[in-house]
Amino acid sequence: MVICFLIHTVCPVSALSAAESRILYARVFGPGTGDRGPETGDADFTPEQRRLMQKEKLHVVARQVRSAVALSREASGGLCVEAVLGEEAAALGEADSGMFSLGNAELFPDRSVVLWLGVLSLVFSLVCRPHENLLLAEGALRNIARHCLEELRLLGPGAEMLLKSDRVDALLHRLLPHGQLLFLNRRFAFALDKEIASYVSK
């Protein structure tokens, strides 16, 4: 089960604020998102408090991913640069990637694993349960990132990225339904690609 999916920046992007990092899209799956404390129940928090707590947890994940990306790029000598439209395939092929573990109940009820894929100024992150097939999760993350970049042109102007959340929702509904990782054979993957392309072209 995937706990959440994020798209966020790792360096300033044109048409966005000058902040170091910004969450552009976030989707949390399932009811168990760790809002309850060790000795208190959900009844102790208002819906607004739970929303703010969840938002802060997602920002903590984004900050930890940003640090991991920065360390990876520093070690490899990579630079954070922006791309132009049409370079999506090349950018994805040169993407940084990695994973790290979040401690038990650090942010979510159980220990979880964060997988990230850094494509120039953007990062795509999945937070998964530790028992998940991580190779399958990595493949799903790359597939989602590929569709976001190629179909939705997320390497375009930042203002456009913020207006495409409904389309990212539609992609996740097909590629990560209810947070479940899918085993895709070539025939099913091809049919899914055609369905997504048809939807995006509307």
Side-chain angles (χ1 to χ4, degrees):
M1 177 74 181
V2 172
I3 300 173
C4 65
F5 169 74
L6 300 174
I7 303 174
H8 50 106
T9 65
V10 286
C11 56
V13 178
S14 63
L16 291 177
S17 68
E20 199 170 15
S21 181
R22 182 173 181 181
I23 294 178
L24 303 176
Y25 176 89
R27 174 74 179 274
V28 178
F29 299 96
T33 56
D35 289 334
R36 95 176 37 183
E39 299 179 33
T40 61
D42 288 338
D44 294 314
F45 301 107
T46 66
E48 178 64 13
Q49 287 174 321
R50 287 195 293 271
R51 187 189 69 80
L52 291 174
M53 291 168 68
Q54 183 180 95
K55 182 178 179 181
E56 178 55 30
K57 289 173 184 179
L58 296 178
H59 278 285
V60 170
V61 172
R63 287 194 294 268
Q64 292 193 21
V65 170
R66 184 186 67 206
S67 297
V69 174
L71 288 173
S72 175
R73 289 180 174 174
E74 182 179 354
S76 64
L79 298 175
C80 181
V81 296
E82 289 192 52
V84 296
L85 294 179
E87 295 183 356
E88 292 85 0
L92 187 59
E94 299 173 358
D96 308 282
S97 63
M99 68 178 68
F100 58 88
S101 177
L102 292 174
N104 186 35
E106 183 178 344
L107 293 174
F108 303 102
D110 302 303
R111 187 173 67 86
S112 51
V113 177
V114 181
L115 295 90
W116 58 266
L117 184 68
V119 186
L120 301 177
S121 56
L122 295 182
V123 179
F124 301 84
S125 301
L126 277 183
V127 181
C128 303
R129 301 295 185 194
H131 61 267
E132 286 290 353
N133 183 326
L134 296 182
L135 285 177
L136 184 62
E138 182 182 6
L141 180 60
R142 286 187 175 274
N143 197 24
I144 293 168
R146 176 176 66 85
H147 282 291
C148 285
L149 294 172
E150 293 179 357
E151 307 288 354
L152 303 186
R153 303 292 189 178
L154 290 193
L155 289 179
E160 291 185 12
M161 286 186 276
L162 300 178
L163 299 176
K164 294 180 177 177
S165 61
D166 59 331
R167 300 210 161 196
V168 180
D169 282 339
L171 286 178
L172 293 182
H173 176 70
R174 292 165 171 81
L175 299 172
L176 202 64
H178 307 292
Q180 298 295 325
L181 295 170
L182 300 177
F183 286 93
L184 301 177
N185 59 36
R186 294 182 66 178
R187 184 175 180 180
F188 184 46
F190 180 72
L192 204 54
D193 284 351
K194 285 187 65 177
E195 181 183 345
I196 290 172
S198 175
Y199 166 77
V200 172
S201 66
K202 292 179 181 179

